[in-house]
Each structure stands twice: as C-alpha cells, then as structure tokens.
C-alpha cells in the first residue's frame, strides 16, 4: 500500500469507511472483492488503497461517474466501477469477498432471495460475504420506510451452511439519531 488507507476519504470529503469493512480487512488479505451498492465509494477506495482488486457496482449512474472521476484523477488501476442493478441478481464473475453495507434495504423485497443466492454463487470457495442491513422487529420497528427490512434471524438463515465469522442483530443509530436494529454478518463459504 502506497497511500494511507483513508487518504481518499479525507481528500474527497467522503464519509469514513464502514467500520465492518475496516475490521474485515484485519483478517482478509488483498483479493478480488465486489463492493455491491458502492455508493460514493468510501469502502471501494479503502479496499483499493489496501491492495484489493475491486469491482464497484451501483445502480446510480451519478455515483458511479463520481467514483470514476476520482479513479481517473488518482490514476487508480485496481478499481472497476460500473452501473449494475443488484435486483437483476446476474453477477457475471467470481469473487473472494463480496461487501454490501447498508444496501439490502433499498432492494426489491421480491428479489432478496435471488440476490443473496447470486452473491453466494459468485463467491469462491473459502471466500467471504459481508452484509450490514436494516431490520424491522417487534422490539425495534424500523422507523424508516425502506423497501425491504430483514426479520429476526433471516440473514442468518440465508447463510445456513456457511461459517459465520460474525453475526449480530444489534441496535444501531443512524446519522439522524434514529435507532434501529441492524443485522451484521461476516460469513465464510466453506469449500
Ligand atoms: C446508503 S448507500 C450505501 C453505499 C455504500 N455501500 C456505503 O456503505 O457507503 C446505498 C447505495 O445502494 C445503491 N443501490 C440502491 N439500490 C440499488 C440497486 N438495485 N442496485 C445497485 N445499487 C443500488 C444506492 O445507489 C446507494 O449508492
């Protein structure tokens, strides 16, 4: 790594890398990673600076264009940024690590099973999926009208047969102070 891992975030005024991505990088070595719903690229740029070979996919062409302009300005060679609708569940490559932080809740509820199945299929044996997504539970009804929210245990059930490196459904606080439960999962695909 030639640059500090948060160099791009500071330079381009991006929010900090998601803490679960930072934590994941403490035990996953640079590999081929897919940042699904990459947004402004905070995680993508961090992973790139850590030496990962990153595909950044998002359905918002403006977000992808903004990320591409950073890539061009910085002469970054290990990020492929592209417009992609996750609901299509049509990934056309294999990855060692797939990241989706705060993305699942924006997807079409009728496509979630297909999307998760496609992520799992597109993960190499021994590879990892990291998902952080909003929940709606009896104890903490989701205060935001997301198109999709996870039920208790739903994400864990999707990953039956994978090794759960980390799984929790803890209470989190959004930037506007609203509290809701998030499922946080780091899972490893067994060979
Ligand atoms: C809250 S942002 C999170 C961005 C990024 N993962 C992060 O943690 O900074 C959600 C992102 O999901 C993207 N998104 C929503 N629906 C999508 C879809 N169907 N396909 C691809 N990206 C989508 C949005 O464009 C947005 O960039």
């Amino acid at each position: 790594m030639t640059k500090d891992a948060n160099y791009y975030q500071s330079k381009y005024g991006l929010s900090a890398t998601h803490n679960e991505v930072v934590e994941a990088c403490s035990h996953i070595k640079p590999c081929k990673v897919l940042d699904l719903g990459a947004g402004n690229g905070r995680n993508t740029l961090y992973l790139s600076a850590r030496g990962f070979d990153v595909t950044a996919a998002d359905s918002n062409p403006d977000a992808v264009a903004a990320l591409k302009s950073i890539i061009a300005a910085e002469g970054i060679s290990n990020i492929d940024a592209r417009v992609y609708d996750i609901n299509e569940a049509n990934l056309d490559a294999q990855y060692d690590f797939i990241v989706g932080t705060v993305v699942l809740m924006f997807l079409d509820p009728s496509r979630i099973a297909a999307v998760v199945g496609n992520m799992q299929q597109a993960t190499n044996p021994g590879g990892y999926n990291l998902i952080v997504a909003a929940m709606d539970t009896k104890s903490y009804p989701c205060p935001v009208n997301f198109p999709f929210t996870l039920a208790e245990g739903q994400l864990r059930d999707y990953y039956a047969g994978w090794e759960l490196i980390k799984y929790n459904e803890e209470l989190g606080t959004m930037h506007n102070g609203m509290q809701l439960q998030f499922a946080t999962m780091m899972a490893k695909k067994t060979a």
Side-chain angles (χ1 to χ4, degrees):
M1 180 170 61
T2 53
K3 288 188 168 72
D4 176 85
N6 280 303
Y7 168 84
Y8 301 115
Q9 281 80 354
S10 313
K11 184 165 176 183
Y12 294 98
L14 307 179
S15 47
T17 308
H18 197 287
N19 62 308
E20 295 297 336
V21 173
V22 175
E23 186 180 317
C25 288
S26 66
H27 56 92
I28 300 180
K29 292 195 174 68
C31 59
K32 193 172 172 204
V33 61
L34 170 64
D35 187 5
L36 261 188
N40 67 14
R42 62 175 178 154
N43 296 332
T44 287
L45 290 161
Y46 177 86
L47 289 159
S48 157
R50 299 280 304 219
F52 287 74
D53 177 9
V54 194
T55 299
D58 201 287
S59 59
N60 180 344
D62 294 338
V64 174
L67 180 54
K68 278 187 173 173
S69 70
I70 296 176
I71 293 167
E74 298 290 338
I76 297 171
S77 59
N78 62 355
I79 300 176
D80 172 16
R82 54 172 79 165
V83 175
Y84 171 70
D85 180 359
I86 300 167
N87 287 317
E88 286 179 12
N90 192 24
L91 297 172
D92 59 359
Q94 293 297 120
Y95 301 91
D96 304 306
F97 184 21
I98 300 181
V99 174
T101 58
V102 245
V103 171
L104 234 54
M105 55 258 223
F106 298 100
L107 303 183
D108 175 350
S110 72
R111 298 296 294 153
I112 297 296
V115 166
V116 172
N118 185 228
M119 288 172 68
Q120 294 176 338
Q121 210 173 23
T123 305
N124 287 322
Y128 299 86
N129 283 186
L130 170 63
I131 294 176
V132 179
M135 302 181 68
D136 181 44
T137 65
K138 264 196 192 136
S139 316
Y140 291 98
C142 185
V144 185
N145 190 25
F146 292 124
F148 172 74
T149 44
L150 287 161
E152 274 173 16
Q154 186 177 2
L155 187 59
R156 186 181 52 225
D157 291 349
Y158 277 135
Y159 279 81
W162 285 49
E163 181 189 347
L164 292 184
I165 309 285
K166 177 174 188 171
Y167 186 84
N168 65 58
E169 298 183 345
E170 289 174 1
L171 199 57
T173 307
M174 295 181 70
H175 55 274
N176 57 10
M178 283 197 277
Q179 287 203 304
L180 66 155
Q181 256 176 285
F182 281 91
T184 297
M185 184 207 70
M186 175 64 144
K188 182 174 185 179
K189 185 172 181 173
T190 49

